[in-house]
């Protein structure tokens, strides 16, 4: 997959926190329309604390408009992907876990999401990871179609479970 020519992909920086937080808010609002009742807490404070502090819990990639086109300004962050390392004990291999991926509605359909996923695949390969894994909110059929369209596979034999701490 080639990247859109008018988009620059780069590692997220502390100065991107306000833009990522705004996109994360838009993502949460979209998920609300699908019935997601989770209390979304990913805001600028959480992003700065957990992604850019002394012990980062995640890393990120941003998609930035490289020129004036389709309503965006040069330098505007129009998408992001947050990821962290993981490990699969069954396969005895490193994983890269996608925690969040969102592209602004105004620029969807231009290959930005697919290019972000390719960027993270490249990062995974360079780190020795054998898979990239993520979760999808079941009612988000648009995301499910997107991931299936780029070759994503369902883990039908697994359920996501959690414990509150």
């Amino acid at each position: 997959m080639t990247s859109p020519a008018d988009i620059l992909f780069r590692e997220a920086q502390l100065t991107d926190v306000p833009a990522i937080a705004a996109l994360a808010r838009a993502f949460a609002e979209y998920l609300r329309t699908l019935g997601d009742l989770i209390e979304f807490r990913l805001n600028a404070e959480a992003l700065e604390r957990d992604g850019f502090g002394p012990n980062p819990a995640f890393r990120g990639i941003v998609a930035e408009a490289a020129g004036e086109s389709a309503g965006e300004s040069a330098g505007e962050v129009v998408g992001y992907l947050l990821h962290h390392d993981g490990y699969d004990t069954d396969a005895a291999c490193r994983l890269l876990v996608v925690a969040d991926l969102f592209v602004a509605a105004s620029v969807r359909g231009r290959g930005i999401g697919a290019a972000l996923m390719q960027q993270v695949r490249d990062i995974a390969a360079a780190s020795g990871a054998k898979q990239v894994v993520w979760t999808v909110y079941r009612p988000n059929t648009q995301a499910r179609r997107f991931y299936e369209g780029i070759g994503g596979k369902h883990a039908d034999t697994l359920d996501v479970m959690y414990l509150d701490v």
Side-chain angles (χ1 to χ4, degrees):
M1 168 97 218
T2 60
S3 299
D6 55 345
I7 301 293
L8 169 70
F9 298 91
R10 61 173 175 76
E11 185 176 334
Q13 302 168 4
L14 183 58
T15 55
D16 296 317
V17 164
I20 295 170
L23 288 168
R25 193 169 34 259
F27 189 17
E29 290 167 4
Y30 168 70
L31 291 173
R32 284 267 181 259
T33 69
L34 300 176
D36 194 339
L37 301 177
I38 297 284
E39 182 181 349
F40 295 100
R41 297 182 181 167
L42 186 61
N43 57 25
E45 179 184 342
L47 284 162
E48 186 171 335
R49 176 192 67 226
D50 296 334
F52 299 93
N55 184 22
F58 63 84
R59 296 179 307 279
I61 307 165
V62 295
E64 180 181 284
E68 308 283 332
S69 67
E72 8 10 283
S73 305
E76 180 182 355
V77 174
V78 295
Y80 72 92
L81 185 151
L82 304 179
H83 61 91
H84 58 86
D85 297 326
Y87 191 79
D88 181 341
T89 58
D90 293 333
C93 70
R94 293 176 182 268
L95 305 172
L96 194 141
V97 180
V98 173
D100 224 4
L101 166 64
F102 186 73
V103 174
S106 63
V107 294
R108 284 194 201 130
R110 292 177 36 196
I112 296 168
L116 283 165
M117 288 297 286
Q118 184 58 54
Q119 294 276 322
V120 88
R121 286 178 87 180
D122 294 345
I123 291 167
S127 72
K130 300 301 180 199
Q131 288 185 327
V132 175
V133 298
W134 61 92
T135 59
V136 180
Y137 182 55
R138 272 197 191 105
N140 193 350
T141 56
Q142 182 179 1
R144 293 168 71 83
R145 279 193 306 269
F146 163 74
Y147 290 123
E148 290 165 354
I150 62 168
K153 298 174 183 82
H154 294 272
D156 294 332
T157 59
L158 301 173
D159 286 326
V160 175
M161 300 179 75
Y162 67 93
L163 291 170
D164 288 328
V165 178

